């Protein structure tokens, strides 16, 4: 397995050859084109967007709105009006839970999530249920890391107003069968909110084909900057939702007595936005669009298969999460060792992994474990990275 040709696109990997970076589910490295876009924006186009009377503001606005169109095309939204800029997945889900949920939830209505969700797709719904009197229920996760589909069917009923679930588990890599789950939810009359943070970097997402109502993701997990993300929402739903935050940018006319709000998408984008982040995220999307998607997916699948096979040879190592459909995430435990200790010893050998509960405490509770060590792979990782991880784990096993 040769070094992937895409590795040369990422400057940090060339400058930090002392680190094997296997923490991609937390954040990805950035290609040179994204770094260039950030610098170019500030050197040539920096101005505030919308309503500016000068040329520089017009240029910044054009770049900003062109980026919105780029993201809309990437996920096949019906219109760029359906793309709302947020700080990331967490803020996007909070927006839906704070603004949409009160419109549809009442006493004893139900929000259905799953036990594998990231905390950002749990806590906002707890808050929404507390405010509205609705009930929060969670679909069980099987020991393999797959959703218990019988439990999903049993808990989905006529009182379910919202179903919120992840496309790909950040802790285990499980890829959920969204098309089937969404079709069932829609058949029951529920709106569907998808946490797509772990999906958008690894395969194409078509929100219209999926049939979801909202889809949230972060730029920094798909080779873009931190602090910028996207909420996709169906236009008719967004139109009927009131603004979340108030101030500049999201207004049409302000009087002391009352205010009218700007049309979509601007009514959800109060204040000066992360303009450079938006422009750089569009560059990340252009970068992804220029790749051979099938080749990237095949490479990441090969990395996962190679790592799974190699790590199973480590004495006392147990893979956590064995669903047949997985993203490039490998979680594991070493017998008798706390995940944090394993991660620290791996770091001493130059291997960067993530340890702990991965913001998925209910999942860890269901599996009866304190957390895991998580190695997560990306298009720039190589077979040599996997081999170094394997050798380092054999060393750790000897130390422990």
């Amino acid at each position: 397995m040769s070094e992937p040709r895409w590795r040369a696109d990422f400057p940090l990997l060339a400058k930090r050859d002392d680190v094997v970076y296997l923490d991609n589910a937390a954040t990805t490295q950035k290609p040179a084109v994204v770094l260039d876009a950030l610098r170019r924006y500030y050197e040539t186009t920096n101005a505030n967007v919308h309503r500016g009377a000068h040329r520089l503001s017009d240029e910044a606005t054009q770049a900003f709105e062109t980026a919105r169109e780029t993201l809309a095309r990437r996920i096949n939204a019906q219109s760029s009006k359906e793309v709302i800029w947020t700080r990331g997945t967490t803020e996007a889900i909070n927006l839906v839970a704070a603004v949409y949920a009160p419109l549809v939830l009442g006493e004893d209505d139900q929000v259905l999530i799953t036990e594998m969700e990231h905390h950002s797709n749990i806590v906002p719904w707890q808050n929404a249920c507390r405010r509205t009197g609705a009930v929060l229920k969670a679909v069980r996760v099987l020991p393999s890391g797959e959703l218990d589909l019988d439990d999903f069917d049993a808990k989905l009923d006529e009182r379910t107003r919202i179903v919120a679930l992840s496309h790909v588990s950040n802790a285990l890599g499980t890829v959920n069968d969204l098309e089937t789950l969404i079709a069932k939810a829609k058949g029951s009359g529920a709106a569907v909110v998808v946490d797509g943070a772990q999906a958008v970097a690894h395969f194409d997402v078509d929100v219209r084909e999926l049939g979801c109502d909202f889809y949230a993701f972060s730029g920094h997990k798909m080779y873009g900057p931190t602090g910028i993300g996207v909420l996709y929402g169906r236009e008719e739903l967004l139109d009927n939702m009131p603004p979340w935050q108030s101030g500049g940018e999201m207004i049409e006319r302000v009087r002391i007595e009352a205010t009218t709000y700007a049309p979509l998408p601007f009514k959800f984008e109060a204040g000066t936005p992360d303009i450079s982040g938006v422009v750089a995220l569009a560059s990340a999307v252009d970068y992804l669009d220029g790749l051979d998607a099938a080749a990237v997916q095949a490479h990441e699948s090969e990395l996962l298969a190679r790592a799974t096979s190699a790590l199973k040879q480590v004495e006392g190592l147990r893979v956590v999460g064995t669903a047949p459909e997985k993203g490039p995430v490998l979680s594991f435990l070493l017998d008798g060792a706390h995940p944090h200790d394993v991660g620290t010893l791996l770091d001493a050998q130059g291997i960067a992994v993530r340890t702990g509960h991965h913001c998925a405490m209910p999942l860890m509770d269901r599996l009866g474990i304190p957390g895991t060590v998580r190695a997560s792979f990306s298009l720039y990782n190589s077979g040599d990275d996997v081999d170094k991880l394997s050798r380092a784990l054999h060393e750790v096993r000897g130390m422990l």
Side-chain angles (χ1 to χ4, degrees), residues 337-353:
H338 193 280
H340 181 73
D341 294 334
V342 176
T344 300
L345 292 171
L346 286 173
D347 180 61
Q349 299 181 69
I351 311 293
V353 296

Side-chain angles (χ1 to χ4, degrees), residues 7-8 45 50 53 136 145-146 161 180 261 285 308 326 361 363:
R7 190 178 181 91
T45 321
H50 304 138
L136 183 68
E146 298 169 85
R161 300 290 177 259
T180 297
Y261 302 120
V285 169
T308 303
K326 286 184 61 174
M361 287 184 180
L363 175 61

Side-chain angles (χ1 to χ4, degrees), residues 253-309:
R253 179 75 168 88
V254 176
R255 296 180 177 85
I256 295 300
E257 297 78 16
T259 294
T260 54
Y261 302 120
L264 289 177
F266 309 114
K267 73 173 179 178
F268 293 111
E269 295 177 359
T272 298
D274 182 1
I275 307 167
S276 63
V278 165
V279 172
L281 176 55
S283 289
V285 169
D286 288 340
Y287 175 78
L288 284 170
D289 286 345
L291 301 177
D292 181 338
V296 170
Q297 289 180 41
H299 174 72
E300 291 180 341
S301 295
E302 187 178 354
L303 286 171
L304 179 63
R306 181 170 178 153
T308 303
S309 177

